[in-house]
Amino acid sequence: QQQVKQSPQSLIVQKGGISIINCAYENTAFDYFPWYQQFPGKGPALLIAIRPDVSEKKEGRFTISFNKSAKQFSLHIMDSQPGDSATYFCAASKGYSTLTFGKGTMLLVSP
Amino acid sequence: NAGVMQNPRHLVRRRGQEARLRCSPMKGHSHVYWYRQLPEEGLKFMVYLQKENIIDESGMPKERFSAEFPKEGPSILRIQQVVRGDSAAYFCASSPISGIEQYFGPGTRLTVT
């Protein structure tokens, strides 16, 4: 049972464009939703995270939008840059607990 | 402040051998999580430990896999009698208290030949 579904699997965006990655979850007990960025050969790095008491969180060019009723959340990368090319994972956890990850989105930002 | 450290970074084992993966959490962190990443897949939780205690091992196979986090020294994930299906990247993460953000190490890439 895949508790966190992520789409698309891969994404190509032109430099300066907006990258959008979506995730849907099943477990209504989840209450912490982070996004991780992973470069080849490296470990995941926490990018931004949100809790369900807010509908949006913005940090620089990165924004999480959260829809509790639809059980969906998304990552928006504004003004995408070639250096943003990486694999992005959404995740969710219940309370102070272990993370359940989506399968990842491979983002390529073309120059 | 050094980040989470894992060693070795790459490990090659023949089928039937043992693999030992080490994780040193960030300074001041007492919670360690191990995750496994298969090619083209997200990370799957394996085990969550605090110093000298296993808190949750629900994601770890019952056979051949074990983990520990002793009072002194790194956390160790041990895989006995490795099989080809164990080939994956193994990541550990640490947090200062349960629920704060988890910080990941660079991973150990295990190849079973």
PDB file of all heavy atoms in Angstrom, chain A residues 28-52:
ATOM      1  N   THR A  28      -4.972  10.008   7.219  1.00  0.00           N
ATOM      2  CA  THR A  28      -5.395  11.312   7.740  1.00  0.00           C
ATOM      3  C   THR A  28      -4.684  11.651   9.060  1.00  0.00           C
ATOM      4  O   THR A  28      -4.808  12.774   9.549  1.00  0.00           O
ATOM      5  CB  THR A  28      -6.906  11.340   7.963  1.00  0.00           C
ATOM      6  OG1 THR A  28      -7.277  10.220   8.786  1.00  0.00           O
ATOM      7  CG2 THR A  28      -7.653  11.242   6.639  1.00  0.00           C
ATOM      8  N   ALA A  29      -3.968  10.708   9.620  1.00  0.00           N
ATOM      9  CA  ALA A  29      -3.222  10.981  10.850  1.00  0.00           C
ATOM     10  C   ALA A  29      -1.904  11.701  10.573  1.00  0.00           C
ATOM     11  O   ALA A  29      -1.284  12.238  11.490  1.00  0.00           O
ATOM     12  CB  ALA A  29      -2.953   9.682  11.602  1.00  0.00           C
ATOM     13  N   PHE A  30      -1.470  11.734   9.311  1.00  0.00           N
ATOM     14  CA  PHE A  30      -0.236  12.442   8.982  1.00  0.00           C
ATOM     15  C   PHE A  30      -0.392  13.912   9.339  1.00  0.00           C
ATOM     16  O   PHE A  30      -1.413  14.544   9.034  1.00  0.00           O
ATOM     17  CB  PHE A  30       0.088  12.320   7.494  1.00  0.00           C
ATOM     18  CG  PHE A  30       0.599  10.972   7.071  1.00  0.00           C
ATOM     19  CD1 PHE A  30       0.332  10.484   5.800  1.00  0.00           C
ATOM     20  CD2 PHE A  30       1.376  10.199   7.918  1.00  0.00           C
ATOM     21  CE1 PHE A  30       0.816   9.249   5.384  1.00  0.00           C
ATOM     22  CE2 PHE A  30       1.858   8.960   7.521  1.00  0.00           C
ATOM     23  CZ  PHE A  30       1.574   8.480   6.251  1.00  0.00           C
ATOM     24  N   ASP A  31       0.634  14.484   9.955  1.00  0.00           N
ATOM     25  CA  ASP A  31       0.532  15.892  10.329  1.00  0.00           C
ATOM     26  C   ASP A  31       1.833  16.656  10.123  1.00  0.00           C
ATOM     27  O   ASP A  31       2.017  17.746  10.690  1.00  0.00           O
ATOM     28  CB  ASP A  31       0.052  16.017  11.776  1.00  0.00           C
ATOM     29  CG  ASP A  31       1.008  15.378  12.772  1.00  0.00           C
ATOM     30  OD1 ASP A  31       2.044  14.842  12.346  1.00  0.00           O
ATOM     31  OD2 ASP A  31       0.704  15.417  13.971  1.00  0.00           O
ATOM     32  N   TYR A  32       2.747  16.100   9.346  1.00  0.00           N
ATOM     33  CA  TYR A  32       3.997  16.791   9.044  1.00  0.00           C
ATOM     34  C   TYR A  32       4.388  16.389   7.641  1.00  0.00           C
ATOM     35  O   TYR A  32       4.435  15.183   7.318  1.00  0.00           O
ATOM     36  CB  TYR A  32       5.077  16.398  10.060  1.00  0.00           C
ATOM     37  CG  TYR A  32       6.467  16.930   9.757  1.00  0.00           C
ATOM     38  CD1 TYR A  32       6.752  18.293   9.809  1.00  0.00           C
ATOM     39  CD2 TYR A  32       7.500  16.064   9.429  1.00  0.00           C
ATOM     40  CE1 TYR A  32       8.022  18.770   9.536  1.00  0.00           C
ATOM     41  CE2 TYR A  32       8.776  16.535   9.155  1.00  0.00           C
ATOM     42  CZ  TYR A  32       9.029  17.890   9.207  1.00  0.00           C
ATOM     43  OH  TYR A  32      10.284  18.368   8.939  1.00  0.00           O
ATOM     44  N   PHE A  33       4.627  17.409   6.763  1.00  0.00           N
ATOM     45  CA  PHE A  33       4.814  17.141   5.339  1.00  0.00           C
ATOM     46  C   PHE A  33       6.052  17.883   4.842  1.00  0.00           C
ATOM     47  O   PHE A  33       5.993  19.048   4.474  1.00  0.00           O
ATOM     48  CB  PHE A  33       3.567  17.579   4.557  1.00  0.00           C
ATOM     49  CG  PHE A  33       2.303  16.919   5.035  1.00  0.00           C
ATOM     50  CD1 PHE A  33       1.535  17.496   6.035  1.00  0.00           C
ATOM     51  CD2 PHE A  33       1.890  15.713   4.489  1.00  0.00           C
ATOM     52  CE1 PHE A  33       0.371  16.882   6.491  1.00  0.00           C
ATOM     53  CE2 PHE A  33       0.732  15.092   4.931  1.00  0.00           C
ATOM     54  CZ  PHE A  33      -0.031  15.676   5.931  1.00  0.00           C
ATOM     55  N   PRO A  34       7.197  17.199   4.805  1.00  0.00           N
ATOM     56  CA  PRO A  34       8.417  17.841   4.305  1.00  0.00           C
ATOM     57  C   PRO A  34       8.691  17.493   2.844  1.00  0.00           C
ATOM     58  O   PRO A  34       8.199  16.487   2.319  1.00  0.00           O
ATOM     59  CB  PRO A  34       9.500  17.224   5.198  1.00  0.00           C
ATOM     60  CG  PRO A  34       8.987  15.849   5.501  1.00  0.00           C
ATOM     61  CD  PRO A  34       7.468  15.945   5.488  1.00  0.00           C
ATOM     62  N   TRP A  35       9.481  18.323   2.214  1.00  0.00           N
ATOM     63  CA  TRP A  35      10.009  18.041   0.884  1.00  0.00           C
ATOM     64  C   TRP A  35      11.525  17.952   0.988  1.00  0.00           C
ATOM     65  O   TRP A  35      12.161  18.780   1.654  1.00  0.00           O
ATOM     66  CB  TRP A  35       9.625  19.148  -0.101  1.00  0.00           C
ATOM     67  CG  TRP A  35       8.207  19.092  -0.539  1.00  0.00           C
ATOM     68  CD1 TRP A  35       7.136  19.688   0.054  1.00  0.00           C
ATOM     69  CD2 TRP A  35       7.689  18.401  -1.686  1.00  0.00           C
ATOM     70  NE1 TRP A  35       5.976  19.419  -0.638  1.00  0.00           N
ATOM     71  CE2 TRP A  35       6.293  18.632  -1.715  1.00  0.00           C
ATOM     72  CE3 TRP A  35       8.254  17.626  -2.696  1.00  0.00           C
ATOM     73  CZ2 TRP A  35       5.459  18.107  -2.709  1.00  0.00           C
ATOM     74  CZ3 TRP A  35       7.431  17.098  -3.681  1.00  0.00           C
ATOM     75  CH2 TRP A  35       6.056  17.347  -3.684  1.00  0.00           C
ATOM     76  N   TYR A  36      12.080  16.942   0.302  1.00  0.00           N
ATOM     77  CA  TYR A  36      13.525  16.757   0.292  1.00  0.00           C
ATOM     78  C   TYR A  36      14.047  16.864  -1.141  1.00  0.00           C
ATOM     79  O   TYR A  36      13.372  16.480  -2.097  1.00  0.00           O
ATOM     80  CB  TYR A  36      13.907  15.383   0.860  1.00  0.00           C
ATOM     81  CG  TYR A  36      13.845  15.307   2.366  1.00  0.00           C
ATOM     82  CD1 TYR A  36      12.642  15.058   3.026  1.00  0.00           C
ATOM     83  CD2 TYR A  36      14.986  15.487   3.141  1.00  0.00           C
ATOM     84  CE1 TYR A  36      12.590  14.990   4.413  1.00  0.00           C
ATOM     85  CE2 TYR A  36      14.942  15.426   4.524  1.00  0.00           C
ATOM     86  CZ  TYR A  36      13.741  15.177   5.156  1.00  0.00           C
ATOM     87  OH  TYR A  36      13.696  15.118   6.523  1.00  0.00           O
ATOM     88  N   GLN A  37      15.261  17.375  -1.243  1.00  0.00           N
ATOM     89  CA  GLN A  37      15.944  17.498  -2.532  1.00  0.00           C
ATOM     90  C   GLN A  37      17.161  16.579  -2.498  1.00  0.00           C
ATOM     91  O   GLN A  37      17.912  16.579  -1.514  1.00  0.00           O
ATOM     92  CB  GLN A  37      16.390  18.962  -2.719  1.00  0.00           C
ATOM     93  CG  GLN A  37      17.148  19.257  -3.990  1.00  0.00           C
ATOM     94  CD  GLN A  37      17.729  20.668  -3.958  1.00  0.00           C
ATOM     95  OE1 GLN A  37      18.486  21.028  -3.058  1.00  0.00           O
ATOM     96  NE2 GLN A  37      17.355  21.493  -4.938  1.00  0.00           N
ATOM     97  N   GLN A  38      17.334  15.806  -3.546  1.00  0.00           N
ATOM     98  CA  GLN A  38      18.468  14.885  -3.578  1.00  0.00           C
ATOM     99  C   GLN A  38      19.215  15.007  -4.893  1.00  0.00           C
ATOM    100  O   GLN A  38      18.639  14.844  -5.971  1.00  0.00           O
ATOM    101  CB  GLN A  38      17.994  13.436  -3.370  1.00  0.00           C
ATOM    102  CG  GLN A  38      19.136  12.437  -3.266  1.00  0.00           C
ATOM    103  CD  GLN A  38      18.664  11.006  -3.048  1.00  0.00           C
ATOM    104  OE1 GLN A  38      17.575  10.623  -3.476  1.00  0.00           O
ATOM    105  NE2 GLN A  38      19.471  10.206  -2.357  1.00  0.00           N
ATOM    106  N   PHE A  39      20.518  15.255  -4.789  1.00  0.00           N
ATOM    107  CA  PHE A  39      21.385  15.259  -5.961  1.00  0.00           C
ATOM    108  C   PHE A  39      22.017  13.880  -6.097  1.00  0.00           C
ATOM    109  O   PHE A  39      22.155  13.151  -5.105  1.00  0.00           O
ATOM    110  CB  PHE A  39      22.452  16.342  -5.825  1.00  0.00           C
ATOM    111  CG  PHE A  39      21.899  17.738  -5.877  1.00  0.00           C
ATOM    112  CD1 PHE A  39      21.768  18.492  -4.716  1.00  0.00           C
ATOM    113  CD2 PHE A  39      21.487  18.300  -7.073  1.00  0.00           C
ATOM    114  CE1 PHE A  39      21.239  19.783  -4.759  1.00  0.00           C
ATOM    115  CE2 PHE A  39      20.959  19.575  -7.120  1.00  0.00           C
ATOM    116  CZ  PHE A  39      20.830  20.317  -5.954  1.00  0.00           C
ATOM    117  N   PRO A  40      22.417  13.511  -7.320  1.00  0.00           N
ATOM    118  CA  PRO A  40      22.978  12.179  -7.539  1.00  0.00           C
ATOM    119  C   PRO A  40      24.152  11.901  -6.606  1.00  0.00           C
ATOM    120  O   PRO A  40      25.044  12.728  -6.433  1.00  0.00           O
ATOM    121  CB  PRO A  40      23.431  12.229  -9.004  1.00  0.00           C
ATOM    122  CG  PRO A  40      22.535  13.238  -9.639  1.00  0.00           C
ATOM    123  CD  PRO A  40      22.291  14.279  -8.583  1.00  0.00           C
ATOM    124  N   GLY A  41      24.122  10.752  -5.981  1.00  0.00           N
ATOM    125  CA  GLY A  41      25.209  10.340  -5.105  1.00  0.00           C
ATOM    126  C   GLY A  41      25.207  10.982  -3.733  1.00  0.00           C
ATOM    127  O   GLY A  41      26.129  10.776  -2.944  1.00  0.00           O
ATOM    128  N   LYS A  42      24.178  11.759  -3.437  1.00  0.00           N
ATOM    129  CA  LYS A  42      24.101  12.453  -2.157  1.00  0.00           C
ATOM    130  C   LYS A  42      22.881  12.000  -1.365  1.00  0.00           C
ATOM    131  O   LYS A  42      21.983  11.354  -1.892  1.00  0.00           O
ATOM    132  CB  LYS A  42      23.993  13.980  -2.382  1.00  0.00           C
ATOM    133  CG  LYS A  42      25.101  14.567  -3.222  1.00  0.00           C
ATOM    134  CD  LYS A  42      26.430  14.536  -2.515  1.00  0.00           C
ATOM    135  CE  LYS A  42      27.483  15.253  -3.336  1.00  0.00           C
ATOM    136  NZ  LYS A  42      28.820  15.168  -2.684  1.00  0.00           N
ATOM    137  N   GLY A  43      22.871  12.373  -0.090  1.00  0.00           N
ATOM    138  CA  GLY A  43      21.709  12.091   0.721  1.00  0.00           C
ATOM    139  C   GLY A  43      20.643  13.166   0.531  1.00  0.00           C
ATOM    140  O   GLY A  43      20.936  14.268   0.066  1.00  0.00           O
ATOM    141  N   PRO A  44      19.399  12.863   0.875  1.00  0.00           N
ATOM    142  CA  PRO A  44      18.328  13.867   0.757  1.00  0.00           C
ATOM    143  C   PRO A  44      18.576  15.020   1.715  1.00  0.00           C
ATOM    144  O   PRO A  44      19.027  14.825   2.839  1.00  0.00           O
ATOM    145  CB  PRO A  44      17.075  13.083   1.169  1.00  0.00           C
ATOM    146  CG  PRO A  44      17.452  11.645   1.093  1.00  0.00           C
ATOM    147  CD  PRO A  44      18.905  11.574   1.375  1.00  0.00           C
ATOM    148  N   ALA A  45      18.254  16.215   1.263  1.00  0.00           N
ATOM    149  CA  ALA A  45      18.398  17.414   2.085  1.00  0.00           C
ATOM    150  C   ALA A  45      17.028  18.061   2.245  1.00  0.00           C
ATOM    151  O   ALA A  45      16.296  18.233   1.268  1.00  0.00           O
ATOM    152  CB  ALA A  45      19.379  18.394   1.442  1.00  0.00           C
ATOM    153  N   LEU A  46      16.681  18.378   3.474  1.00  0.00           N
ATOM    154  CA  LEU A  46      15.388  19.003   3.740  1.00  0.00           C
ATOM    155  C   LEU A  46      15.315  20.360   3.071  1.00  0.00           C
ATOM    156  O   LEU A  46      16.201  21.203   3.222  1.00  0.00           O
ATOM    157  CB  LEU A  46      15.183  19.144   5.247  1.00  0.00           C
ATOM    158  CG  LEU A  46      13.880  19.808   5.680  1.00  0.00           C
ATOM    159  CD1 LEU A  46      12.685  18.958   5.295  1.00  0.00           C
ATOM    160  CD2 LEU A  46      13.879  20.050   7.189  1.00  0.00           C
ATOM    161  N   LEU A  47      14.219  20.545   2.330  1.00  0.00           N
ATOM    162  CA  LEU A  47      14.040  21.777   1.568  1.00  0.00           C
ATOM    163  C   LEU A  47      13.061  22.713   2.277  1.00  0.00           C
ATOM    164  O   LEU A  47      13.349  23.862   2.563  1.00  0.00           O
ATOM    165  CB  LEU A  47      13.493  21.401   0.188  1.00  0.00           C
ATOM    166  CG  LEU A  47      13.628  22.350  -0.970  1.00  0.00           C
ATOM    167  CD1 LEU A  47      15.072  22.716  -1.210  1.00  0.00           C
ATOM    168  CD2 LEU A  47      13.038  21.695  -2.226  1.00  0.00           C
ATOM    169  N   ILE A  48      11.907  22.211   2.581  1.00  0.00           N
ATOM    170  CA  ILE A  48      10.832  22.996   3.185  1.00  0.00           C
ATOM    171  C   ILE A  48       9.813  22.016   3.733  1.00  0.00           C
ATOM    172  O   ILE A  48       9.684  20.898   3.229  1.00  0.00           O
ATOM    173  CB  ILE A  48      10.207  23.949   2.130  1.00  0.00           C
ATOM    174  CG1 ILE A  48       9.187  24.904   2.741  1.00  0.00           C
ATOM    175  CG2 ILE A  48       9.608  23.168   0.974  1.00  0.00           C
ATOM    176  CD1 ILE A  48       8.692  25.990   1.771  1.00  0.00           C
ATOM    177  N   ALA A  49       9.092  22.417   4.772  1.00  0.00           N
ATOM    178  CA  ALA A  49       8.113  21.520   5.382  1.00  0.00           C
ATOM    179  C   ALA A  49       6.894  22.313   5.828  1.00  0.00           C
ATOM    180  O   ALA A  49       6.983  23.527   6.074  1.00  0.00           O
ATOM    181  CB  ALA A  49       8.715  20.768   6.564  1.00  0.00           C
ATOM    182  N   ILE A  50       5.767  21.630   5.964  1.00  0.00           N
ATOM    183  CA  ILE A  50       4.533  22.294   6.360  1.00  0.00           C
ATOM    184  C   ILE A  50       3.745  21.399   7.299  1.00  0.00           C
ATOM    185  O   ILE A  50       3.871  20.162   7.253  1.00  0.00           O
ATOM    186  CB  ILE A  50       3.681  22.658   5.106  1.00  0.00           C
ATOM    187  CG1 ILE A  50       2.625  23.711   5.437  1.00  0.00           C
ATOM    188  CG2 ILE A  50       3.045  21.409   4.496  1.00  0.00           C
ATOM    189  CD1 ILE A  50       1.962  24.313   4.195  1.00  0.00           C
ATOM    190  N   ARG A  51       2.962  22.001   8.156  1.00  0.00           N
ATOM    191  CA  ARG A  51       2.009  21.280   9.002  1.00  0.00           C
ATOM    192  C   ARG A  51       0.603  21.637   8.532  1.00  0.00           C
ATOM    193  O   ARG A  51       0.411  22.688   7.934  1.00  0.00           O
ATOM    194  CB  ARG A  51       2.227  21.642  10.466  1.00  0.00           C
ATOM    195  CG  ARG A  51       3.551  21.148  11.002  1.00  0.00           C
ATOM    196  CD  ARG A  51       3.594  21.103  12.512  1.00  0.00           C
ATOM    197  NE  ARG A  51       4.882  20.668  13.001  1.00  0.00           N
ATOM    198  CZ  ARG A  51       5.225  19.393  13.186  1.00  0.00           C
ATOM    199  NH1 ARG A  51       4.363  18.436  12.916  1.00  0.00           N
ATOM    200  NH2 ARG A  51       6.414  19.078  13.648  1.00  0.00           N
ATOM    201  N   PRO A  52      -0.399  20.809   8.806  1.00  0.00           N
ATOM    202  CA  PRO A  52      -1.723  21.007   8.203  1.00  0.00           C
ATOM    203  C   PRO A  52      -2.526  22.181   8.739  1.00  0.00           C
ATOM    204  O   PRO A  52      -3.642  22.417   8.272  1.00  0.00           O
ATOM    205  CB  PRO A  52      -2.428  19.672   8.491  1.00  0.00           C
ATOM    206  CG  PRO A  52      -1.714  19.080   9.632  1.00  0.00           C
ATOM    207  CD  PRO A  52      -0.302  19.550   9.539  1.00  0.00           C
TER     208      PRO A  52
END
